[in-house]
Amino acid sequence: MMDEFSRCGLALELSFSFAGRSVIAILDEVAELYGYPKYLRIDNGTELTSKVMQLWSEEHCVELLFIQPGKPTQNAYIESFNSRVREELLNSHWFRTLAEARETAAAWMHDYNTTHSHSSLGYLTPEEFLGLYEISALPQESLAS
């Protein structure tokens, strides 16, 4: 999972398969750190088109933006990210266990966010790019009557 604005990798979960509930657990973990997004651009995988995913999106006011089937260019940012994951992580390592793969993936994503510059970000890393913006908490509703 990545943020299109900053190109920051938000989650890189490895598994043999994903059910809708597994995806939701990952989304909730990311939301604990960053909050729930207004939109989520996704493909049409069964784990993403499931009823449980639809209910989650309604519960958290997240609009699901499905790309057209067979049109991966409509989700070019994540396709590029996935290509890097495949080339730089999965194809260049031999993993003996899923735990080892997950540990290596976490280190890779940290490196991606902190040392990989992007031409689209003015040759800054995602971390450097986000540092240019002031991040503050959303205004809270007043409790005064």
Side-chain angles (χ1 to χ4, degrees), residues 56-123:
W56 174 89
S57 72
E58 291 170 8
E59 180 181 326
H60 297 288
C61 300
V62 176
E63 184 177 349
L64 300 178
L65 301 176
F66 291 96
I67 65 169
Q68 291 175 295
K71 303 278 187 178
T73 55
Q74 292 178 350
N75 205 1
Y77 296 120
I78 197 64
E79 292 298 329
S80 176
F81 180 76
N82 288 343
S83 174
R84 287 203 177 280
V85 169
R86 169 110 7 236
E87 183 180 311
E88 298 173 10
L89 174 68
L90 300 176
N91 288 347
S92 61
H93 293 85
W94 285 91
F95 303 109
R96 287 176 270 186
T97 65
L98 188 54
E100 178 186 350
R102 287 176 174 161
E103 184 178 317
T104 305
W108 180 90
M109 193 169 75
H110 178 268
D111 185 60
Y112 177 87
N113 288 334
T114 59
T115 65
H116 179 78
S117 61
H118 296 259
S119 59
S120 61
L121 301 177
Y123 295 97

Side-chain angles (χ1 to χ4, degrees), residues 5-39:
F5 175 68
S6 68
R7 310 300 195 271
C8 188
L10 303 176
L12 179 55
E13 194 67 32
L14 304 179
S15 186
F16 295 109
S17 66
F18 287 99
R21 292 189 193 285
S22 300
V23 173
I24 288 169
I26 296 164
L27 291 169
D28 285 335
E29 283 181 30
V30 171
E32 283 182 30
L33 294 172
Y34 304 104
Y36 289 95
K38 187 172 184 177
Y39 305 100

Side-chain angles (χ1 to χ4, degrees), residues 35-52:
Y36 289 95
K38 187 172 184 177
Y39 305 100
L40 194 60
R41 186 180 325 279
I42 54 179
D43 65 23
N44 293 277
T46 55
E47 70 280 9
L48 302 172
T49 58
S50 66
K51 184 68 172 173
V52 70

